[in-house]
Amino acid sequence: MVDRLFVPAAFVGLLATMPPVSALPWEREHWLDVAYSTVRVEFSGPHSMEAMRLARVFLTELDATRVEIEDAYLALAA
């Protein structure tokens, strides 16, 4: 089953800048960090519920990306 997330038009421009899947984890981490900060600003705006849902998705992916980066550093150290 695939989860779907409604993205209001206000956030389409943000998602259009998303790096490709093949991007380095460091690039994805930077984009996710900026995207999370951007949607946090919208928590009190007209799209607050969607912003909170997107923020949760971004945080989950950001955590996973940081684990991936940490694993890469550990693999280099070994």
Side-chain angles (χ1 to χ4, degrees):
M1 179 179 216
V2 176
D3 291 332
R4 294 177 187 221
L5 181 67
F6 172 73
V7 179
F11 302 118
V12 170
L14 174 66
L15 294 180
T17 64
M18 184 169 52
V21 175
S22 60
L24 295 172
W26 296 272
E27 294 171 357
R28 291 193 320 264
E29 179 192 30
H30 174 72
W31 183 86
L32 287 163
D33 191 41
V34 170
Y36 175 73
S37 298
T38 302
V39 296
R40 282 217 37 183
V41 172
E42 298 295 326
F43 280 9
S44 60
H47 301 293
S48 59
M49 292 304 294
E50 290 85 1
M52 289 179 195
R53 290 184 184 116
L54 277 173
R56 190 174 348 154
V57 170
F58 291 153
L59 271 184
T60 301
E61 289 302 314
L62 188 57
D63 289 342
T65 302
R66 287 181 174 154
V67 167
E68 183 181 352
I69 289 170
E70 185 178 332
D71 289 347
Y73 280 128
L74 292 174
L76 287 174

